[in-house]
Amino acid sequence: MTSQTLTPASSHTGTRGLSALITAELRLFLRDAGNVFFVVAFPTVLLIGMGLAIPGMREPITDLPEPWLGLRAVDLFVPLMLCVAAATAGLSTVPAYLASYRETGVLRRMATTPMRPQGVLFAQAVVQLAGVTAGGVLALAVGSLVFDAPMAQNPLLALVVFLLATASMFGIGVLIGGLAPKGATASGIGMLIYFPMLFLAGLWTPGPMMPDAVEAIATYTPLGAASQAMSEAWFGLGMPWVQLVVMLAWAVLMFTVAARTFRWEV
Amino acid sequence: MNTITRMPTVASSSPGTAPVVQVVGLRKTYGSKVAVDDVSFEVARGEIVGILGQNGAGKTTTVEALAGLRTADGGTVRVLGHDPQRDPAPVRELLGVQLQESRLPAKLRVAEALRLYASFYADPRDPEELLTLLGLQDKRDTPYQKLSGGQKQRLSIALALVGNPQVAILDELTTGLDPQARRETWDLIEAVRDSGVTIVLVTHFMDEAERLCDRVVIIDDGRVIAQGTPGDLARGDHAGVTFRMRLPQPLDAALLVGIDSVTSMREVGRDLEVTGGATVLPDVIIALHSCGLVPEEVQTISPSLEDAFVALVGRPPQEDPS
């Protein structure tokens, strides 16, 4: 028998089933080998590739002042990989998931149930953040174990920078995913932004090797600011207030615009 | 006082006779385009009601307003007494919706999808029971992308039912299915109705409506142009009888023209098609028999809902409504 409950139906609306939704999204994420590779493994693969294959990466730096003197290029890449992890998820899997969930009608179907389609966004954010964290931790572990690279001198600051970097990258990802008509289009747009972001983060010219003019511009881009702030957290240079504010501003701006422009339906 | 004070739940707001779905003067425009101009209809408990119309007639917009997915520009909509626009939460608990072209994530498995959607509802149906009802037990661990069109459609119906709804909206249920899968789906819908769910069926297939629906509402250009039982609509104004017969030899037409109940005759190939009043068939046979004639073959022609639809809408089904 179905008994009509006497509690108002709206008491749990929107949150009932949220943990089941997160579990389901996590399963789906793990079933996609491409996701797992890009979000979790790619930063580590990049680090190992650069650290072992490029000559001179493990030679101590002799032509830079303190605190860089005596470090190796590969040491500079280790904190950068945390930013790469955030950007990879934020600019590839986040927009692709959201756009394809709209394209295929997953959000629309959800809208007819007591679960709100926003719940899918939340579940995706939790899962992707877990993926980025796993990717970052894996890169740090390999950096430490394989290359004996130094860890952050200011771990708390590094954590704050990591979260702000992830928030600003996810903000861009949600904005793209909310506007791109298809999953494939969203991935394409994400990739167009991804590579300039990596450049400004110093993937080709890590830390102090970046030309001054580029560095001045990079400070005001989300991933450039993240990379500079992460360097400061890692090598104990001070408090990167400007970069922290830049990342926060990007995150707030992106999520605000995304909230206004997000299209729930085709 | 031992009076139990009830919360204003569905049970108290619909004492048996109140319509389960009530739409009055619904209007919805997108910019300058009028999708729904003026649509009114009701659905009683336990009915299967078909919303019929061509593509672009306003069917989907109408059911989207019922489901609370669209904000109407005018008119009122009530589902079990609740307004889906202003108070959508109880409607989402009580109304199951199977939307046209809503897919699931490719790698989500059948049983996972059912358990996931069940977790959203206060009083869900048992996912296992639905797997059995929809014949998906063997597919429980199959990812969505590996299902056939019919299996996807059945899963979609199961998801519409997993919240244990009192009303289910099924939009273009059998589009893209092969004839065998369509028939199986129809049987299933009847089983669902028999389990106590009121059904609103959106379709542009007349055979589907004729087979399943207790009543149909025909929408054209955003307006209801006819509603009634499929039989009544098919018979329309001309409550006559038409039959074709094949005679062993040519007939003197004057013989039949003299019969009162005959209204028209025409030759169709080797057959003679006769239309007339309720008694036209026996009248003609008796008249022929009195002249020693016995038709080799007699076939009565039932007017179909499709004929009625074309007559009402005034253009063939493929024509673009613009």
Side-chain angles (χ1 to χ4, degrees):
Chain A
M1 276 302 292
T2 57
S3 58
Q4 192 69 50
T5 53
L6 297 181
T7 42
S10 58
S11 60
H12 293 96
T13 291
T15 55
R16 195 194 303 114
L18 193 58
S19 61
L21 188 55
I22 293 169
T23 309
E25 292 296 332
L26 181 63
R27 276 206 197 103
L28 291 172
F29 180 86
L30 293 174
R31 275 175 202 163
D32 191 325
N35 280 336
V36 176
F37 175 76
F38 268 109
V39 176
V40 181
F42 179 66
T44 302
V45 170
L46 196 61
L47 180 66
I48 293 173
M50 289 196 302
L52 295 181
I54 300 177
M57 288 298 266
R58 284 169 289 148
E59 302 298 320
I61 297 167
T62 53
D63 54 353
L64 284 172
E66 288 284 352
W68 315 110
L69 191 65
L71 288 172
R72 302 158 303 167
V74 71
D75 298 334
L76 304 178
F77 276 113
V78 171
L80 183 54
M81 288 309 137
L82 294 173
C83 305
V84 171
T88 306
L91 299 176
S92 71
T93 47
V94 168
Y97 261 105
L98 300 188
S100 77
Y101 275 6
R102 177 183 53 248
E103 180 191 355
T104 58
V106 169
L107 298 178
R108 209 165 115 82
R109 188 197 298 273
M110 200 72 72
T112 68
T113 74
M115 172 58 69
R116 302 294 68 224
Q118 286 86 343
V120 185
L121 267 62
F122 180 78
Q124 268 297 319
V126 170
V127 170
Q128 299 282 351
L129 179 62
V132 172
T133 305
V137 167
L138 186 63
L140 293 187
V142 167
S144 176
L145 297 173
V146 177
F147 298 108
D148 196 25
M151 292 293 111
Q153 293 194 14
N154 188 344
L156 188 64
L157 177 61
L159 180 65
V160 170
V161 173
F162 175 70
L163 292 175
L164 280 174
T166 306
S168 61
M169 288 297 113
F170 280 23
I172 298 173
V174 174
L175 180 62
I176 297 169
L179 290 171
K182 293 177 175 214
T185 319
S187 301
I189 296 170
M191 285 299 106
L192 281 180
I193 300 173
Y194 182 63
F195 289 104
M197 285 281 180
L198 292 185
F199 171 76
L200 290 165
L203 192 66
W204 288 272
T205 54
M209 299 174 193
M210 184 179 279
D212 288 348
V214 180
E215 190 180 335
I217 297 167
T219 301
Y220 295 97
T221 65
L223 205 64
S227 166
Q228 291 170 10
M230 197 63 90
S231 266
E232 300 202 23
W234 226 258
F235 303 109
L237 304 177
M239 205 57 178
W241 289 114
V242 174
Q243 285 83 351
L244 290 175
V245 170
V246 166
M247 281 187 284
L248 184 65
W250 274 103
V252 170
L253 178 70
M254 289 297 114
F255 277 113
T256 307
V257 176
R260 284 164 190 243
T261 57
F262 198 94
R263 290 163 57 229
W264 295 97
E265 314 184 36
V266 177
Chain B
M1 285 284 288
N2 57 358
T3 316
I4 298 166
T5 309
R6 278 183 165 270
M7 300 293 287
T9 54
V10 176
S12 59
S13 64
S14 54
T17 54
V20 168
V21 171
Q22 188 177 37
V23 178
V24 181
L26 180 69
R27 184 178 168 82
K28 175 70 187 176
T29 57
Y30 301 111
S32 62
K33 188 184 176 297
V34 179
V36 174
D37 190 9
D38 180 9
V39 165
S40 305
F41 64 92
E42 287 186 355
V43 180
R45 188 172 293 275
E47 271 190 311
I48 299 181
V49 169
I51 310 286
L52 269 53
Q54 293 180 307
N55 294 331
K59 306 178 301 255
T60 295
T61 304
T62 300
V63 295
E64 283 175 343
L66 276 181
L69 294 175
R70 300 267 174 221
T71 312
D73 297 318
T76 57
V77 176
R78 292 287 181 277
V79 176
L80 294 151
H82 301 283
D83 181 348
Q85 319 278 332
R86 296 177 56 194
D87 188 19
V91 175
R92 291 182 193 127
E93 288 281 352
L94 300 166
L95 176 75
V97 185
Q98 182 254 322
L99 290 166
Q100 201 180 348
E101 290 176 7
S102 275
R103 283 173 274 161
L104 286 170
K107 296 189 178 182
L108 192 62
R109 295 171 188 163
V110 168
E112 285 173 358
L114 274 170
R115 282 198 301 268
L116 174 64
Y117 277 72
S119 75
F120 301 157
Y121 293 90
D123 179 26
R125 268 178 98 148
D126 179 9
E128 294 301 321
E129 178 202 334
L130 279 173
L131 282 175
T132 310
L133 177 67
L134 286 129
L136 288 168
Q137 312 96 303
D138 298 344
K139 298 287 167 191
R140 52 181 307 124
D141 293 323
T142 305
Y144 182 74
Q145 64 183 355
K146 297 271 173 66
L147 296 175
S148 71
Q151 290 159 353
K152 284 178 181 168
Q153 204 65 282
R154 276 184 276 154
L155 176 57
S156 193
I157 297 166
L159 292 177
L161 300 176
V162 78
N164 207 3
Q166 299 194 21
V167 195
I169 295 177
L170 306 171
D171 191 359
E172 298 292 0
L173 184 68
T174 61
T175 299
L177 297 190
D178 62 50
Q180 175 67 24
R182 290 185 75 202
R183 254 173 256 126
E184 287 171 8
T185 308
W186 291 343
D187 291 342
L188 174 70
I189 297 311
E190 284 173 336
V192 169
R193 186 263 295 276
D194 293 343
S195 74
V197 182
T198 303
I199 292 172
V200 178
L201 188 72
V202 180
T203 185
H204 65 277
F205 293 122
M206 299 303 138
D207 54 344
E208 185 163 293
E210 239 165 357
R211 158 74 195 270
L212 284 177
C213 296
D214 302 309
R215 285 191 309 117
V216 296
V217 176
I218 298 180
I219 297 182
D220 188 42
D221 277 344
R223 290 174 164 272
V224 174
I225 54 169
Q227 50 181 315
T229 67
D232 285 350
L233 287 181
R235 278 187 293 278
D237 301 328
H238 44 85
V241 174
T242 298
F243 66 93
R244 286 180 188 178
M245 59 184 178
R246 183 165 298 176
L247 295 167
Q249 62 196 79
L251 176 74
D252 179 8
L255 177 67
L256 298 186
V257 171
I259 301 172
D260 287 344
S261 58
V262 173
T263 52
S264 69
M265 277 189 302
R266 64 187 182 118
E267 284 188 33
V268 181
R270 291 177 54 205
D271 295 349
L272 187 66
E273 184 179 289
V274 181
T275 301
T279 60
V280 68
L281 179 58
D283 290 352
V284 168
I285 300 295
I286 289 165
L288 290 172
H289 188 250
S290 66
C291 305
L293 281 172
V294 177
E296 290 171 348
E297 229 178 275
V298 176
Q299 183 190 4
T300 56
I301 297 173
S302 312
S304 73
L305 187 57
E306 181 144 14
D307 297 333
F309 180 84
V310 171
L312 283 162
V313 173
R315 56 181 172 252
Q318 277 81 16
E319 199 176 307
D320 189 67
S322 64

